[in-house]
Amino acid sequence: MFFVDTVEVTGLGNRSYLAGGERTAVAVDPPRDVDRVLESAARRGVRISHVVETHIHNDYVTGGLELARLTGAAYLIPAGAAVSFERIPVHDGDRTVIDAGLTLRALATPGHTPHHTAYVLEESASVVAVFTGGSLLIGTVGRPDLVEPRLTERLARAQHASAHRLAAELPDTAAVLPTHGFGSFCSAGRADGSETTIGKERASNEALTQDVDTFVTRLLAGLDDIPAYYTHMGPANSAGPSPVDLTAPARADAEEIAARLAAGEWVVDVRNRIAFAQGHVTGTYNFEADGQLATCLAWLIPWGKPVTLLAESAEQLAQAQRELVRVGIDRPAAAATGGPSAWTTEGEPLAAFPRADFADLAARHPAEDMVVLDVRRATERAAGFVEGSVHIPLHTLHRRLDEVPPGEVWVHCAGGMRAAIAASLLDAAGRDVVAVDDSFTAADAAGLTLRTD
């Protein structure tokens, strides 16, 4: 009998897998913090004999090299991927025995990257699952524009061909186990559901239901901005990531926090957005630990700038560190736990700003002394926006604060999390701000006029 354990990396919208038999197992696309993969193997009572990558990842720092070092496992990487460390190059059709009767077969599936490779899991020569990485996802495919702009259309066509190869060569019953597609920015689209098969994708996935020209045209038209930190992930993975250090950072007192703010460093409060709005250290930014901390912070922060973390507990701080190492923000410059009253110097008042919903916004809008700021991405706004609103996507806001018109800024996104980040950036810049903490689906019912042009 075989098993497949899923390691969820929810903050990145990814999954890693551990698959094996009675004695040994293979880890597929492991996250940077490999301890959870090791714990899964320990629970199963198996040794990790192989670690495989479907591709050189552009959205996170892999734990593959470290996991192979710790376990003595063979490290398999597609042969076309250029790396600076020893590995076993994998070619199309290569077979690797994982355990008695359990085999991985490499299947070249270029598109997400030129060298992308899927791995077919076979038990006693019968196909049971396929680890599709960033090729065939649930209801969509991995985006083809992360490598080189001049290659994007060619890779999009390759992605279509790879999806058809998987559908042609594998049975409908084979489980499709992708790495991306659960909120990852590596996904070309979003789809519901957490499980699928080749048969289900054959019936519904646009890569398998549309001709190549239609598919490519629609795929390229729907691509959104690429997160800025992706620029650093591929090179880090090609060079060979260093081991993770999750020990507690140096502790900062109120004076040090003030000094770091004065020096222009980023001091990030990872408490929930309600607590932050009620009271926080002036000049700090709010990225919730329970939200998309890693992706949002890594996208916005100037790469390499020191970051100090403020958390309500040691546990919350540790979770924030774990999230951040996955995207290459390895060591906070300093940290503090507790609450804002302990993070401010004597006599320093706390900052705060109000929160509202779309009904509150409708009661005020339009008014001469207010600005409605939409920080959603362009593809989201295209589906409908508040008439008269200003559009500055969150990931560009820190560079474009001077483009926000004068007045009280009512900032919204699709659900509230990004609006809270934006509100903290505006508040730190000295603007009067109101964070609209509400679902955009409530905007129409609140009586706001929505437009799509």
Side-chain angles (χ1 to χ4, degrees):
M1 292 293 292
F2 74 96
F3 70 87
V4 177
D5 288 346
T6 301
V7 179
E8 297 278 0
V9 191
T10 53
L12 298 180
N14 285 335
R15 287 179 175 176
S16 175
Y17 302 93
L18 182 75
E22 292 185 359
R23 297 177 180 274
T24 50
V26 58
V28 181
D29 290 342
R32 182 94 181 274
D33 49 325
V34 299
D35 53 331
R36 293 192 302 151
V37 182
L38 292 170
E39 289 167 3
S40 180
R43 285 193 301 270
R44 291 286 186 177
V46 296
R47 177 177 62 87
I48 298 175
S49 58
H50 295 80
V51 177
V52 303
E53 305 280 7
T54 57
H55 60 294
I56 298 298
H57 305 284
N58 289 292
D59 65 326
Y60 70 95
V61 181
T62 181
L65 184 62
E66 176 67 358
L67 184 60
R69 184 187 69 81
L70 290 172
T71 61
Y75 193 20
L76 280 60
I77 294 179
V83 297
S84 302
F85 49 84
E86 291 188 9
R87 89 293 191 205
I88 297 175
V90 177
H91 300 85
D92 185 44
D94 284 357
R95 292 179 178 272
T96 303
V97 175
I98 302 303
D99 200 277
L102 198 64
T103 304
L104 273 188
R105 174 165 57 93
L107 206 63
T109 48
H112 186 49
T113 66
H115 59 266
H116 192 285
T117 299
Y119 296 91
V120 180
L121 185 65
E122 300 176 350
E123 184 185 37
S124 301
S126 296
V127 174
V128 293
V130 55
F131 301 102
T132 56
S135 55
L136 189 66
L137 311 185
I138 299 178
T140 185
V141 295
R143 56 192 297 175
D145 60 330
L146 303 180
V147 177
E148 159 61 53
R150 291 171 294 183
L151 295 178
T152 296
E153 182 174 350
R154 187 189 314 171
L155 289 176
R157 292 182 178 277
Q159 192 72 298
H160 185 271
S162 291
H164 279 263
R165 182 185 186 190
L166 288 165
E169 296 190 17
L170 303 180
D172 284 351
T173 55
V176 174
L177 304 174
T179 299
H180 306 310
F182 310 95
S184 168
F185 291 118
C186 272
S187 175
R190 291 179 180 269
D192 295 330
S194 60
E195 297 180 358
T196 193
T197 63
I198 289 292
K200 290 178 181 178
E201 293 308 306
R202 189 195 309 278
S204 61
N205 195 302
E206 291 184 348
L208 296 171
T209 60
Q210 297 175 350
D211 66 84
V212 62
D213 290 332
T214 301
F215 169 78
V216 170
T217 299
R218 292 183 178 180
L219 177 66
L220 299 185
L223 294 174
D224 215 327
D225 290 346
I226 299 172
Y229 70 94
Y230 276 25
T231 301
H232 308 280
M233 300 296 97
N237 288 325
S238 295
S242 59
V244 168
D245 180 2
L246 290 175
T247 59
R251 294 300 170 129
D253 58 18
E255 286 72 20
E256 182 177 349
I257 291 170
R260 290 186 177 279
L261 285 167
E265 296 182 10
W266 278 41
V267 178
V268 174
D269 188 329
V270 301
R271 295 175 302 142
N272 73 71
R273 57 184 183 261
I274 298 174
F276 183 87
Q278 291 172 342
H280 55 271
V281 179
T282 300
T284 57
Y285 302 141
N286 181 218
F287 292 78
E288 291 182 302
D290 292 334
Q292 291 180 299
L293 168 65
T295 53
C296 288
L297 180 57
W299 197 338
L300 270 66
I301 191 171
W303 199 251
K305 182 174 281 290
V307 59
T308 294
L309 299 178
L310 307 179
E312 63 183 10
S313 66
E315 292 75 20
Q316 188 179 65
L317 173 61
Q319 180 59 36
Q321 281 186 259
R322 180 178 290 272
E323 294 278 346
L324 293 178
V325 298
R326 294 171 181 162
V327 292
I329 302 178
D330 284 7
R331 292 295 296 166
T337 57
S341 60
W343 303 332
T344 53
T345 56
E346 186 174 354
E348 179 186 354
L350 296 179
F353 52 76
R355 298 166 54 252
D357 57 23
F358 279 106
D360 298 321
L361 176 58
R364 285 282 314 276
H365 180 66
E368 291 185 3
D369 62 341
M370 71 181 301
V371 179
V372 179
L373 178 62
D374 181 350
V375 296
R376 296 174 300 160
R377 295 189 298 278
T379 51
E380 296 173 283
R381 184 173 170 87
F385 60 89
V386 176
E387 185 176 44
S389 61
V390 175
H391 181 226
I392 303 179
L394 173 62
H395 61 273
T396 69
L397 180 60
H398 61 299
R399 302 190 304 270
R400 302 172 59 189
L401 290 170
D402 58 350
E403 297 180 30
V404 181
E408 184 179 60
V409 185
W410 289 59
V411 58
H412 80 83
C413 60
M417 182 193 72
R418 286 173 292 171
I421 296 172
S424 72
L425 296 175
L426 291 159
D427 177 72
R431 296 298 299 269
D432 292 329
V433 62
V434 178
V436 180
D437 194 353
D438 198 1
S439 170
F440 189 73
T441 57
D444 184 46
L448 290 162
T449 302
L450 303 184
R451 300 183 59 177
T452 57
D453 52 77

